[in-house]
Amino acid sequence: MTISGIAARLDTARRERSAIAPFSDTDPSFELELGYRVQHHRRQGRPLAGWKLGLTAHVKQRQVGVDTPLYGFLDAADGLNLGQPLPIDTLIAPRAEPEIVFVLGDDLAGPHITTADVLTATAAVAAGIEIIDSRYEDYRFTAADLAADNVSAGRYLVGPPQLPQGLELDLLGAVLSKNGDVIATAAGAAVMGHPAAAVAWLARRLHADGEAGLRCGQVIFAGGLTAAVPVAAGDTITVDIGQLGRITQSFT
Ligand code: 0L1
Ligand code: MG
């Protein structure tokens, strides 16, 4: 199948909310580079809000059986507003996860971007909730399948922005609750030792892939801090990340 053919199948699966078999099932040569080419094809013409990292925490890698970090893009149309309920039937098999979010105040590009560079370029940080959704049956995929499916991107919520100065992002505690019950906890360090290290990895990886890099004003989700929890109509997810604050997403 061609790049555009695979991209069209994933776009249709997303639009029609109908899961498909992973491409690696029938094509063992479907590899990561090809997955990213599909993702790149699908990004063209879409309004880009920023980027998302996936599988930057070991707990997330274990949950889906893929042991490498990946990146995807954030479509501006997929952003949620605080207090806006999300109808569950707009997605296939949604799961929610807590994330630390960066808002860049400077461009970041090049082969040697460091954690310190990211912190210097960061205008604000925030608590986030990513509502992931896989277009593959039963969240079964390889890294290549996942890259093509934009790393399970669904919808996303960004909390009130906070100034980063004085915050130790690696030591922040994150609590994920569903309907008032604590489901999982983590520290910021769960993501590559420091969430800014994950953003630095993204900048270097985009450079290696010939992409333009990170731009001032872009929003970056650093990756799920805990395993993602399935959500259904009537559920309420709360994410509390200490000094970043507490945000809530409800589902109808
Ligand atoms: O479907 C998945 O769980 C893969 C996406 C991972 C997203 C993340 O780690 O933030
Ligand atoms: Mg995520």
Side-chain angles (χ1 to χ4, degrees):
M1 204 183 298
T2 61
I3 303 276
S4 59
I6 296 170
R9 284 212 60 201
L10 283 163
D11 286 342
T12 303
R14 181 177 170 140
R15 191 175 56 252
E16 296 183 351
R17 298 185 288 282
S18 167
I20 58 177
F23 297 98
S24 58
D25 270 7
T26 48
D27 181 2
S29 69
F30 189 70
E31 286 183 347
L32 187 56
E33 196 209 324
L34 194 53
Y36 274 126
R37 284 169 64 195
V38 173
Q39 184 191 123
H40 180 90
H41 184 90
R42 299 180 68 210
R43 195 173 82 228
Q44 301 316 304
R46 295 194 186 270
L48 189 69
W51 300 88
K52 55 164 276 174
L53 285 138
L55 309 186
T56 46
H58 291 303
V59 67
K60 282 282 325 184
Q61 295 184 358
R62 281 195 297 276
Q63 183 177 33
V64 296
V66 173
D67 64 0
T68 182
L70 296 168
Y71 67 85
F73 62 91
L74 292 178
D75 190 323
D78 292 332
L80 293 162
N81 293 307
L82 289 164
Q84 173 192 353
L86 178 59
I88 214 84
D89 64 1
T90 55
L91 299 161
I92 299 170
R95 296 176 175 179
E97 55 190 24
E99 303 217 16
I100 292 175
V101 181
F102 290 74
V103 182
L104 294 183
D106 253 320
D107 294 350
L108 263 182
H112 305 300
I113 298 294
T114 63
T115 302
D117 294 330
V118 171
L119 292 171
T120 303
T122 298
V125 285
I129 300 177
E130 185 179 20
I131 317 302
I132 55 172
D133 195 27
S134 182
R135 271 54 64 172
Y136 301 117
E137 294 151 354
D138 307 320
Y139 276 81
R140 190 173 57 81
F141 39 61
T142 62
D145 294 315
L146 195 49
D149 189 28
N150 198 21
V151 195
S152 303
R155 307 294 300 271
Y156 57 92
L157 179 69
V158 180
Q162 313 292 330
L163 292 176
Q165 288 77 17
L167 293 178
E168 294 186 277
L169 298 176
D170 52 337
L171 300 184
L172 290 177
V175 180
L176 170 68
S177 306
K178 178 169 148 180
N179 304 329
D181 293 330
V182 173
I183 301 293
T185 60
V191 161
M192 287 187 167
H194 193 298
V199 180
W201 177 89
L202 170 64
R204 294 193 301 268
R205 182 63 213 246
L206 288 176
H207 177 84
D209 288 355
E211 298 277 359
L214 305 175
R215 293 287 177 233
C216 177
Q218 285 186 335
V219 171
I220 321 285
F221 272 62
L225 290 158
T226 70
V229 60
V231 286
D235 285 343
T236 298
I237 292 291
T238 301
V239 165
D240 190 329
I241 312 189
Q243 289 145 295
L244 299 189
R246 175 184 301 172
I247 55 174
T248 291
Q249 179 64 51
S250 64
F251 299 86
T252 56

